[in-house]
Amino acid sequence: MIHEALFYLWNSPGDGDTLEKNEWTHLFELQDFLHPGEQKLLQIIVEIAMDYYKIVAFNKSLLNKTPSVEGLKVVTSSNENIAVNAVVPTGLYINAFCSGVHKVLEGYRKETIKLEDMLLQNPQLSLTFILSSVEKYRNLFQILLSMIQVIEKDNVHGCLLIGRLHKYIYCGMDQIASAADVIIQSINTIFYRHLCNWIIYGDLVDAFREFFIIDGKAADEDFLYPEQLVQSSVDSTGNLSLYKKSRVRRPPQVRHFYINWNMVPLFISEDTAESILFMGRIVWIVRNDPKKSSDDSYQIKYKRDIWEGKDIEYYRKVQALESQTYNNIEFQKAIEECRIKLTKYLWSVMLEEGNLVEHLQLIRDYYALGRGELFQQFITVAENHIKDTTSNSIIQNLNFIFLETARKIYGENDKTYLKFELTSSNSDVTRSNPWARLQINFEIKWPLHIVFHPKVMELYNKLFCYLLRLRKTQIDLHKLWAQHVARKQRIDRRVWTLRQNLMFLVNNLQYYLQVDVIEAQFSLLLKAVQNANEFEDIIKVHHEFISNLLAKTFVLTPDEEHTYKNKHRLYQIPAVQFEVPSKVYNVIIRLLELCDEFCIVASTWDAELTEPELEELETFQKRSDTVIDSLLFILYSLHEKVSGQHLLQLLSQLDFNRYFSKNKPDFNLTSALY
């Protein structure tokens, strides 16, 4: 009987598909002659053997099957510890778990063999001695069964297993903690292989979707421009569309990788997970340089080596973590060391190969109208040519005029204008006001497309459209002045005064935007870029530049609630409310509309105004007073709320010597300035 007990401690009883307790007890002969105490001892031994076999059966059911994404249906007993017909998720991590469990059970197997050898030497061994030798595994087997139960019931798989098993290390029982450590180290082998391949090489080989980083197997829409999105849908559906190809080349696509938060191990924080995703995406972008395969001379000049020959060294630093239980300090140290290396490399690539400073200069020159001579001439020439142009060809003609104007001004010395193309934010561009939605496309070099992504360029286009409209209004007012002077006739004093007031406001507003805001902010940006030493620093200072630029030019309202949740994120947007222009912006647009209407109407007036013309002039004067009062009131109110020095600066220029507010004692601008 003792030998049979040892046999069943190692092997399964009877039918391998049944694990009921009563089937074990009936297998022993002379059961009726056993003392009740011996029956109880035998029952405990049988229960330990049953637990062992359940664990072994679970392992065999998985290790002998090919892993699949759908999982494996395991038919087990109706025992409360193991689910019936449970669909167990399979994959490399579950197999590693089973391998770890197999190592943990090695002590039990050796103990059983040892007992059999002792029994052969001493047949008088008692059940009490047998039980005393194997009872120490009773709690261990219960814990292992609870692990299996968690896997089956909660569908735990992949790297999530590591986090769920960590609690057993700190249970206070050395045997359980040691077993959990062995199992976790077995799973660590798979986890850190995934982690190293992703961080060091940007590779994601994950057939069973067990890692917490997921390959979307498509382009990231956050980095796609509208025409690229249209083209992508055309390619996927095969349907033709009215998509018109742009002359300006768009940057290469960025692969979409994202975090499956349900799979992130419990010990990895949100910031750390974002950093890991960020690093792999950087490596993928650098290794997928579009020039890499097309230009041999480029490869010779810029030989791509992200890790500077130390990729194996960094790989082993991260891989070395698999041999120990998770240590947050060591883990964070290894990850941070790799991140710093990657971000510094990407920063150097952006400055040296991407010519970041040159790109910023071009954005200032074209989007912020830094090349005033070009846009002055362009607006003047275009205004005369688009009068007789059909709506369908306005943008095409404007592009031709833009290129010809730039060519005549800069000749062969500067061809940067070829990197730009005029377009419209709306296909419905009418001849009455084609400037209202005019935008400009920019040919962005790799890898700067991850800094100047579509959302950022959308903000730059909002600024461009605003400044272009302001410049055109300024030109129209000066044309009206030139027309009045050329007549050499006495102009009505009220017309002259209104025109001068509008010109004064527009000129000072133009000076404030171009000099006090754009030039000042751009100078700060260049200094910040020169002081940066990581890619994230470039993202931060660039977004601060855009936010300050749009806020101080009144194009958009700052988003006070916006926070950069994680600086180690590839795609980030500036802290502005995209669809909420400031109150000042709305008033300025009303002022520009008033100026446009006045220029059109006043250009038809003769020296002597008729009665209807005098009524129109009176209406313009009232509208002008209302707009000016609104502008000054809003600027003064905002100054009191936010204490913005730039608002006071603009107020002092627009309301010089209190010209407009002399009859308004509420506007105490002098005391505010001093």
Side-chain angles (χ1 to χ4, degrees):
M1 182 183 69
I2 302 297
H3 198 272
E4 287 179 325
L6 290 176
F7 176 80
Y8 291 129
L9 283 174
W10 182 274
N11 297 287
S12 61
D15 186 0
D17 292 334
T18 57
L19 295 173
E20 301 298 334
K21 294 180 182 179
N22 56 5
E23 294 210 5
W24 286 71
T25 55
H26 291 306
L27 294 174
F28 292 99
E29 297 179 359
L30 306 176
Q31 181 182 356
D32 296 336
F33 299 96
L34 293 177
H35 186 276
E38 291 180 318
Q39 289 185 7
K40 185 63 176 178
L41 293 176
L42 185 60
Q43 180 182 354
I44 296 175
I45 294 173
V46 168
E47 289 176 355
I48 294 174
M50 286 176 61
D51 290 344
Y52 168 76
Y53 178 69
K54 291 173 186 177
I55 298 169
V56 172
F58 177 83
N59 275 15
K60 288 181 178 179
S61 66
L62 294 176
L63 293 177
N64 295 336
K65 300 293 183 180
T66 303
S68 65
V69 178
E70 292 78 11
L72 175 67
K73 186 175 182 180
V74 180
V75 181
T76 58
S77 74
S78 58
N79 185 275
E80 61 181 3
N81 289 328
I82 302 293
V84 180
N85 297 332
V87 178
V88 180
T90 60
L92 301 179
Y93 286 80
I94 290 292
N95 285 354
F97 170 82
C98 293
S99 298
V101 170
H102 183 77
K103 293 178 183 178
V104 170
L105 296 178
E106 184 64 26
Y108 173 82
R109 288 191 291 269
K110 289 181 179 179
E111 188 71 34
T112 305
I113 294 174
K114 179 181 176 182
L115 285 174
E116 187 171 13
D117 291 339
M118 294 176 66
L119 180 63
L120 293 176
Q121 296 176 11
N122 182 13
Q124 303 303 320
L125 289 178
S126 64
L127 286 175
T128 304
F129 181 80
I130 300 295
L131 179 60
S132 66
S133 298
V134 298
E135 190 175 22
K136 58 187 174 183
Y137 296 100
R138 190 174 189 182
N139 289 335
L140 174 63
F141 291 168
Q142 289 297 318
I143 294 298
L144 293 177
L145 287 173
S146 70
M147 293 180 184
I148 294 173
Q149 184 182 18
V150 168
I151 291 173
E152 291 183 339
K153 287 189 175 181
D154 296 345
N155 195 30
V156 179
H157 63 290
C159 57
L160 193 60
L161 264 174
I162 307 175
R164 297 296 289 269
L165 297 179
H166 260 274
K167 64 178 181 180
Y168 295 104
I169 294 179
Y170 307 104
C171 65
M173 299 176 62
D174 293 340
Q175 183 189 32
I176 305 302
S178 177
D181 186 57
V182 171
I183 296 173
I184 289 174
Q185 285 191 27
S186 179
I187 300 174
N188 278 351
T189 304
I190 306 300
F191 174 72
Y192 283 99
R193 293 295 191 281
H194 271 147
L195 187 63
C196 291
N197 287 334
W198 172 248
I199 291 177
I200 307 300
Y201 301 114
D203 292 334
L204 191 61
V205 183
D206 186 18
F208 310 110
R209 302 174 75 88
E210 298 175 288
F211 197 50
F212 64 88
I213 305 294
I214 302 297
D215 184 358
K217 299 187 182 299
D220 191 339
E221 293 187 359
D222 289 332
F223 295 92
L224 290 181
Y225 289 85
E227 60 267 30
Q228 288 179 307
L229 288 170
V230 173
Q231 186 64 33
S232 178
S233 64
V234 169
D235 294 340
S236 61
T237 61
N239 297 324
L240 296 176
S241 76
L242 297 177
Y243 167 73
K244 182 181 178 181
K245 188 174 181 180
S246 174
R247 176 179 59 81
V248 171
R249 288 180 299 177
R250 286 305 191 184
Q253 296 180 351
V254 176
R255 188 73 165 261
H256 181 45
F257 295 97
Y258 61 95
I259 296 177
N260 180 3
W261 292 105
N262 295 325
M263 294 295 292
V264 177
L266 300 177
F267 55 82
I268 295 182
S269 65
E270 180 179 343
D271 289 350
T272 304
E274 289 281 4
S275 296
I276 293 172
L277 172 66
F278 173 71
M279 288 186 285
R281 298 193 75 179
I282 288 179
V283 177
W284 188 94
I285 290 171
V286 173
R287 290 189 177 275
N288 287 271
D289 179 359
K291 294 183 180 179
K292 184 178 179 182
S293 58
S294 60
D295 191 347
D296 294 335
S297 61
Y298 179 84
Q299 294 186 57
I300 295 173
K301 184 177 180 181
Y302 302 110
K303 188 175 180 180
R304 190 69 65 216
D305 187 2
I306 306 173
W307 302 99
E308 297 179 347
K310 297 182 179 180
D311 54 327
I312 301 299
E313 179 183 336
Y314 283 97
Y315 191 101
R316 287 174 178 170
K317 283 183 180 180
V318 180
Q319 187 181 9
L321 299 173
E322 72 180 39
S323 61
Q324 60 185 6
T325 306
Y326 176 76
N327 184 317
N328 186 58
I329 296 177
E330 293 296 326
F331 186 82
Q332 295 289 349
K333 180 181 177 182
I335 296 297
E336 184 66 10
E337 189 174 347
C338 294
R339 185 198 65 79
I340 292 175
K341 179 65 178 177
L342 285 174
T343 55
K344 286 183 178 295
Y345 178 82
L346 185 58
W347 167 76
S348 65
V349 170
M350 286 192 163
L351 288 182
E352 297 171 10
E353 299 179 38
N355 298 318
L356 174 62
V357 175
E358 179 186 336
H359 271 62
L360 291 173
Q361 186 68 48
L362 289 176
I363 284 178
R364 169 195 167 276
D365 290 346
Y366 289 88
Y367 283 94
L369 306 193
R371 299 195 177 188
E373 72 284 355
L374 170 61
F375 289 97
Q376 175 85 16
Q377 186 66 18
F378 164 68
I379 294 172
T380 303
V381 175
E383 188 71 9
N384 297 326
H385 283 76
I386 64 174
K387 294 179 180 179
D388 301 325
T389 305
T390 61
S391 300
N392 296 332
S393 58
I394 285 180
I395 295 298
Q396 183 179 354
N397 287 353
L398 286 176
N399 267 301
F400 177 78
I401 296 169
F402 177 76
L403 293 176
E404 283 298 305
T405 303
R407 185 181 61 81
K408 291 178 180 179
I409 293 176
Y410 304 117
E412 298 295 324
N413 298 324
D414 183 1
K415 292 188 176 182
T416 55
Y417 59 87
L418 296 176
K419 297 180 179 180
F420 294 87
E421 179 186 35
L422 295 174
T423 183
S424 173
S425 61
N426 192 333
S427 58
D428 183 20
V429 181
T430 60
R431 283 189 302 168
S432 59
N433 191 9
W435 309 95
R437 295 186 177 275
L438 200 61
Q439 296 186 352
I440 190 167
N441 290 336
F442 180 29
E443 186 175 307
I444 302 170
K445 289 179 62 177
W446 178 97
L448 298 181
H449 62 297
I450 58 179
V451 176
F452 303 104
H453 55 72
K455 273 294 182 183
V456 167
M457 301 314 295
E458 178 185 335
L459 295 177
Y460 277 126
N461 265 313
K462 287 180 181 292
L463 177 66
F464 170 76
C465 186
Y466 171 57
L467 294 177
L468 189 69
R469 187 170 182 182
L470 181 63
R471 175 58 66 89
K472 182 183 179 301
T473 300
Q474 186 183 34
I475 292 173
D476 290 342
L477 285 171
H478 280 274
K479 280 184 179 179
L480 181 62
W481 170 83
Q483 180 182 343
H484 287 169
V485 172
R487 288 180 181 176
K488 297 181 180 180
Q489 296 179 356
R490 187 185 181 95
I491 304 296
D492 190 296
R493 180 182 58 82
R494 291 168 293 179
V495 176
W496 190 278
T497 302
L498 178 57
R499 188 202 66 216
Q500 288 300 110
N501 287 345
L502 295 178
M503 284 181 63
F504 176 81
L505 290 172
V506 172
N507 288 341
N508 279 279
L509 187 60
Q510 175 80 12
Y511 181 87
Y512 163 78
L513 295 176
Q514 294 291 161
V515 178
D516 295 339
V517 177
I518 294 175
E519 290 300 322
Q521 291 298 320
F522 185 75
S523 178
L524 294 175
L525 173 64
L526 288 184
K527 290 181 180 178
V529 169
Q530 291 172 358
N531 294 329
N533 57 10
E534 292 183 11
F535 168 71
E536 291 99 320
D537 295 338
I538 294 176
I539 294 289
K540 182 175 182 294
V541 299
H542 182 238
H543 284 180
E544 289 177 352
F545 165 73
I546 296 176
S547 301
N548 291 332
L549 189 66
L550 296 177
K552 292 184 178 182
T553 56
F554 315 113
V555 176
L556 291 175
T557 304
D559 188 356
E560 302 295 341
E561 299 179 357
H562 179 88
T563 56
Y564 295 104
K565 297 181 179 179
N566 191 306
K567 63 177 291 189
H568 312 309
R569 184 177 292 177
L570 193 64
Y571 177 78
Q572 299 188 38
I573 57 176
V576 293
Q577 301 181 47
F578 277 74
E579 302 300 330
V580 184
S582 69
K583 296 178 180 178
V584 179
Y585 174 83
N586 293 328
V587 176
I588 292 176
I589 293 300
R590 286 168 52 197
L591 173 64
L592 298 181
E593 291 173 349
L594 171 64
C595 292
D596 293 340
E597 293 179 24
F598 175 74
C599 289
I600 294 173
V601 175
S603 62
T604 63
W605 291 345
D606 295 326
E608 295 293 330
L609 298 181
T610 63
E611 190 67 28
E613 290 173 344
L614 288 173
E615 292 178 0
E616 282 185 310
L617 177 60
E618 185 68 25
T619 302
F620 278 123
Q621 186 62 57
K622 290 181 180 179
R623 289 176 59 189
S624 173
D625 293 340
T626 302
V627 170
I628 293 172
D629 289 347
S630 299
L631 180 60
L632 295 179
F633 176 78
I634 292 175
L635 287 174
Y636 190 82
S637 300
L638 288 176
H639 151 68
E640 291 182 326
K641 292 180 180 179
V642 301
S643 299
Q645 188 64 32
H646 64 287
L647 298 178
L648 282 178
Q649 192 173 5
L650 177 59
L651 274 170
S652 64
Q653 294 174 4
L654 296 181
D655 193 24
F656 186 71
N657 283 339
R658 300 199 67 185
Y659 178 77
F660 293 108
S661 62
K662 55 188 174 183
N663 297 323
K664 297 178 177 58
D666 294 339
F667 291 171
N668 192 5
L669 185 59
T670 304
S671 61
L673 286 171
Y674 303 99

